[in-house]
């Protein structure tokens, strides 16, 4: 096991990783930017080190700053959290070159899975059905138009790097495609420093279902079931749940087993998530793999009782998994609500300010992962996630009932939040029937969605 | 320059004050917005050059490295420090770390050395690459706050620079 871990992230995930380090009895150092000097992670940490100014490019995204901080503070491993440097194989390689361990897949594994388009072919060869898409990256606009014609509109433009919906656009016509390619390219360049794009066939009414896996260095892997992330707004997930209401138990098991077989065969290592689109007939198409701990990982922790961050750290330290598929049991139903600093009344624009009052909800099956506290000032430089409310129940209706109570109890005064959209979902017939598709909120319109709930 | 007329000196002071108060803030904003590494403006026979350090820090946060210089004969010892940190304490300003790493003071600079704003007083070693530590103001190097070879974090105060303008020279001018 590591002696000391540098946490190179911020917000709720820095707090989450810090808790995992404490659970393992490993010392942790929180690396922070000037804008996060007063953050909860810095306050809770035994040790914290300022790595740069608010601008993430010079702090959380600066490989030299992060690695230098790890070295001067005596750490032997770096936990990148999610976003920032978490899936940057170049960073992982430099971390290793400095004699440190990157907590995540080893650099050569990250490299193998770095290109989303190449990964689709790799896992396609290991027996996963993949969605029709472009052959390789788009060389230019003309190549994009030709490939879209071959695949058939509508198509989804996707960046090879990154995630979080940035640089993604669905287009229905060649004219839309031409315009959107430019936007996606600049968005991808700004967000990930890589503007290569590819195309995927757009499935109209699809569900987003993802399988959580954990594979140790010795090729021993388990799946930890799936999560449904179909509740999205502009390709951004904001509510996740497990098990997915889209598939029955047999279909869920089959999907998860196919996923774990494929990634073990392809040489994956550490925790990861395979994302699938599920069409109305229940066919699952592999779209991409996330080689990091995900925002929505607590949903799986609620069902399995397994600490995924601890598992991730232990695997990176070279320990065997220590349990097998038969030891994994999935109990009950869990929902996760992303609480964002977004103004639902004004097109979800990000909000900032000082938290005048913060009260986390409680009760059976209720977990709040957040970096908020009364008096905390939300800085304007980073993403809008304030925390995650995760609720478990023995069945979906109980989990939903507990969620309603918990959302009512949650107080975040002083900051405009998206709590209203969650409350609207929990009275929406389509959601209650378990029939959400990824395009539903956008098709109805967020405003109409909120208005319907208010009646 | 014993032959300089009092009137000339006063005119120089007024010009420098004008540059520091009016021109510098605008230049700093411009440098911050453009991403340029260096800006140079000539006004009359004065020249103002703003330089962004090699690590790419913005002029706004490192306004302290702004430096006014006259081609020849000028003296700017009392040019107003533009750094916000410097403004807090009228007698001294801290040179801060540009990065997280290991601090190495310049051997030829020690307590009592006279430095000008923008002068390199040491470096912070980031994975073997030195990042300049510069004096934010014209002054005299005072107490060191960290030792050579110490680990330092971004923004950490490394050494005091005692302002000369705030004491002797100001008193002299006011007399």
């Amino acid at each position: 096991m590591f002696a000391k871990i540098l946490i190179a992230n911020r917000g709720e995930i820095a707090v989450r990783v810090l808790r995992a380090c404490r659970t393992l009895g490993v010392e942790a150092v929180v690396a922070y930017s000037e804008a996060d000097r007063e953050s909860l992670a810095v306050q809770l940490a035994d040790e914290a080190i300022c790595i740069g100014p608010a601008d993430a490019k010079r702090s959380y995204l600066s490989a030299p700053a992060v690695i230098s901080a790890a070295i001067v503070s005596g750490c032997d491993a770096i936990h990148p959290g999610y976003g920032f440097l978490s899936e940057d194989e170049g960073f992982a390689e430099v971390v290793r070159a400095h004699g440190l361990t990157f907590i995540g897949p080893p650099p050569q594994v990250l490299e193998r899975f770095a290109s989303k388009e190449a990964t689709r072919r790799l896992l396609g060869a290991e027996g996963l059905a993949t969605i029709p898409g472009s052959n390789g990256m788009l060389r230019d606009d003309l190549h994009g138009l030709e490939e879209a014609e071959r695949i058939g509109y509508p198509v989804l433009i996707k960046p090879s790097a990154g995630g979080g919906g940035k640089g993604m656009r669905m287009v229905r016509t060649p004219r839309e495609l031409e315009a959107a390619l430019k936007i996606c390219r600049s968005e991808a360049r700004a967000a990930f420093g890589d503007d290569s794009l590819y195309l995927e066939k757009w499935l109209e009414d699809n569900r987003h279902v993802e399988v959580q896996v954990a594979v140790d260095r010795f090729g021993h892997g388990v799946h930890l079931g799936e999560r449904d992330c179909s509740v999205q707004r502009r390709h951004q997930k904001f509510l996740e749940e497990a098990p997915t209401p889209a598939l029955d138990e047999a279909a869920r098991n089959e999907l998860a087993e196919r996923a774990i077989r494929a990634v073990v065969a392809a040489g994956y290592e550490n925790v990861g998530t395979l994302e699938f689109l599920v069409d109305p007939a229940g066919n699952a198409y592999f779209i991409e793999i996330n080689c990091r701990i995900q925002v929505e990982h607590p949903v799986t922790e609620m069902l399995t009782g397994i600490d995924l961050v601890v598992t991730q750290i232990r695997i990176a330290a070279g320990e065997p998994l220590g349990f097998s598929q038969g030891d994994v049991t999935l109990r009950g139903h869990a929902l996760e609500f992303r609480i964002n600093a977004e103004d639902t009344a004004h097109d979800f624009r990000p909000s900032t300010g000082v938290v005048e009052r913060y009260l986390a909800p409680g009760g059976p099956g209720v977990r709040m992962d957040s970096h908020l506290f009364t008096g905390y000032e939300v800085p304007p430089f980073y993403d809008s996630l304030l925390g995650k409310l995760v609720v478990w129940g023995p069945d979906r209706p109980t989990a939903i009932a507990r969620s309603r109570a918990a959302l009512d109890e949650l107080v975040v005064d002083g900051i405009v939040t998206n709590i209203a959209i969650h409350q609207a979902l929990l009275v929406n017939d389509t959601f209650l029937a378990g029939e959400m598709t990824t395009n539903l909120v956008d098709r109805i319109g967020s405003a109409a969605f909120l208005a319907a709930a208010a009646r | 320059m014993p032959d300089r007329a009092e009137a000339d000196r006063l005119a120089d002071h007024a010009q420098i004050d004008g540059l520091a108060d009016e021109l510098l803030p605008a230049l700093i904003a411009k440098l911050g917005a453009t991403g340029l590494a260096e800006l140079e403006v000539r006004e009359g026979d004065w020249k103002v050059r703003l330089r962004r350090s090699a690590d790419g820090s913005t002029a706004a946060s490192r306004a302290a490295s702004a430096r006014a210089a006259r081609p020849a004969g000028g003296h700017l010892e009392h040019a107003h420090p533009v750094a916000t940190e410097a403004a807090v304490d009228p007698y001294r300003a801290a040179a801060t770390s540009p990065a997280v790493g290991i601090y190495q003071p310049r051997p030829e600079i020690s307590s009592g050395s006279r430095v000008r704003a923008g002068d390199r007083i040491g470096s912070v070693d980031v994975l073997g690459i030195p990042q300049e530590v510069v004096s934010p103001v014209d002054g005299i190097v005072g107490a060191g706050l960290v030792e050579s070879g110490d680990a330092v974090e971004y923004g950490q105060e490394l050494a005091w620079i005692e302002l000369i303008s705030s004491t002797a020279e100001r008193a002299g001018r006011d007399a």
Side-chain angles (χ1 to χ4, degrees), chain A residues 25 65 72 74 78 103 105 107 125 131 167 175 187 214 221 228 232 259 298 307 320 345-346 357 393 404 413 436 449:
Chain A
V72 301
I78 297 176
I103 298 177
I131 205 150
R175 184 189 288 268
E187 276 186 13
D228 190 307
Q232 300 184 4
D307 186 324
H346 292 94
R357 189 156 164 263
R404 283 197 198 103
D413 283 347
M436 286 297 290
F449 212 84

Side-chain angles (χ1 to χ4, degrees), chain A residues 32 34 48-53 58 64-65 67-69 71-72 98, chain B residues 55-58 61 98 100-102 125-127 151-155:
Chain A
Y32 65 96
E34 275 185 322
I49 187 163
C50 183
I51 56 168
R58 296 186 49 217
I67 295 168
S68 181
I71 291 169
V72 301
H98 281 89
Chain B
D55 66 0
S57 55
T58 62
S61 66
V100 54
I102 303 295
D125 192 279
V126 180
L127 308 182
V152 295
E153 60 181 355
Y154 175 84

Side-chain angles (χ1 to χ4, degrees), chain A residues 7-17 60-61 79-87 103 290-298 309 312 336 338 340 369-371 383-388:
Chain A
I7 301 171
N9 213 299
R10 60 175 308 280
E12 69 86 21
I13 193 65
V15 176
R16 172 72 187 88
V17 175
Y60 300 113
L61 280 169
H79 197 301
Y82 48 65
F84 296 131
L85 295 165
S86 63
E87 292 181 276
I103 298 177
N290 296 139
C291 303
R292 60 168 188 274
I293 194 75
Q294 283 191 295
V295 176
E296 60 269 28
H297 75 273
V309 182
Q312 182 189 29
E336 177 187 89
R338 297 193 190 195
N340 294 337
D369 276 20
S370 172
H371 57 292
D383 72 39
S384 60
L385 186 67
L386 298 175
K388 293 137 37 177

Side-chain angles (χ1 to χ4, degrees), chain B residues 61-76:
Chain B
S61 66
R62 294 284 302 286
S65 63
R67 177 174 182 170
R70 195 185 189 195
H75 64 128
L76 267 173

Side-chain angles (χ1 to χ4, degrees), chain A residues 86-365:
Chain A
S86 63
E87 292 181 276
D88 185 329
E89 74 276 15
F91 172 69
E93 184 58 58
V94 180
V95 169
R96 179 161 69 181
H98 281 89
L100 308 171
T101 303
F102 173 85
I103 298 177
Q108 71 276 12
V109 174
L110 272 181
E111 202 185 332
R112 192 177 316 151
F113 294 91
S115 159
K116 291 185 184 181
E117 192 275 331
T119 301
R120 215 177 44 183
R121 279 184 279 131
L122 177 65
L123 293 183
E126 298 295 349
L128 294 184
T130 58
I131 205 150
S134 57
N135 276 325
M137 292 302 139
L138 302 182
R139 289 188 301 273
D140 47 36
D141 288 8
L142 182 65
H143 184 217
L145 287 163
E146 286 168 2
E147 287 295 282
E149 206 59 50
R150 188 179 57 78
I151 300 161
Y153 288 94
V155 294
L156 184 65
I157 306 168
K158 294 182 79 173
S160 181
K166 292 189 189 76
M168 273 169 70
R169 288 281 193 293
M170 185 270 284
V171 294
R172 297 185 181 280
T173 64
R175 184 189 288 268
E176 278 180 28
L177 178 69
E178 277 195 282
L181 280 173
K182 287 176 185 60
I183 299 166
C184 291
R185 212 169 267 137
S186 74
E187 276 186 13
R189 198 183 309 122
F192 321 117
D194 174 1
D195 65 358
S196 42
L197 304 173
Y198 66 104
L199 299 179
E200 236 173 51
K201 172 81 183 155
W202 172 256
L203 296 180
E204 206 63 61
D205 289 309
N206 66 67
R207 320 269 311 217
H208 177 119
V209 178
E210 58 188 29
V211 177
Q212 177 73 54
V213 298
V215 186
D216 67 17
R217 189 162 300 174
F218 314 100
H220 180 61
V222 297
H223 72 75
L224 298 142
E226 85 301 330
R227 297 181 287 259
D228 190 307
C229 314
S230 301
V231 181
Q232 300 184 4
R233 185 182 168 276
R234 299 187 183 166
H235 307 297
Q236 309 235 10
K237 306 165 183 173
F238 64 94
L239 184 157
E240 298 93 351
E241 65 179 314
T244 172
L247 302 169
D248 63 23
E249 195 176 348
R252 296 197 302 265
N253 278 335
E254 199 214 313
L255 177 66
E257 275 163 21
R258 268 197 291 141
I260 188 63
R261 270 200 307 273
V263 285
V264 169
Y268 189 74
E269 181 180 324
N270 214 309
V271 302
T273 303
L274 289 86
E275 298 193 335
F276 296 84
L277 289 183
V278 177
D279 70 13
N283 300 307
Y285 302 97
F286 171 74
I287 46 173
E288 63 181 70
I289 186 164
N290 296 139
C291 303
R292 60 168 188 274
I293 194 75
Q294 283 191 295
V295 176
E296 60 269 28
H297 75 273
V299 171
T300 299
E301 294 182 328
M302 297 297 256
L303 258 59
T304 60
I306 291 167
D307 186 324
L308 283 170
V309 182
V310 162
T311 304
Q312 182 189 29
I313 296 171
R314 288 180 46 242
I315 293 173
E319 291 183 16
L321 201 50
F323 56 92
S324 52
Q325 197 64 58
D327 300 321
V328 179
T329 47
L330 305 168
R331 278 185 63 242
H333 198 97
L335 299 137
E336 177 187 89
F337 305 87
R338 297 193 190 195
I339 309 301
N340 294 337
E342 289 174 342
D343 188 351
T344 54
H346 292 94
D347 199 34
F348 288 74
R349 70 179 174 206
S351 65
T352 58
V354 175
V355 178
E356 282 156 16
R357 189 156 164 263
Y358 170 65
L359 277 177

Side-chain angles (χ1 to χ4, degrees), chain B residues 117-131:
Chain B
D119 280 356
R120 189 166 67 82
I121 64 160
S123 61
V124 171
D125 192 279
V126 180
L127 308 182
I129 296 160
Q131 310 267 325

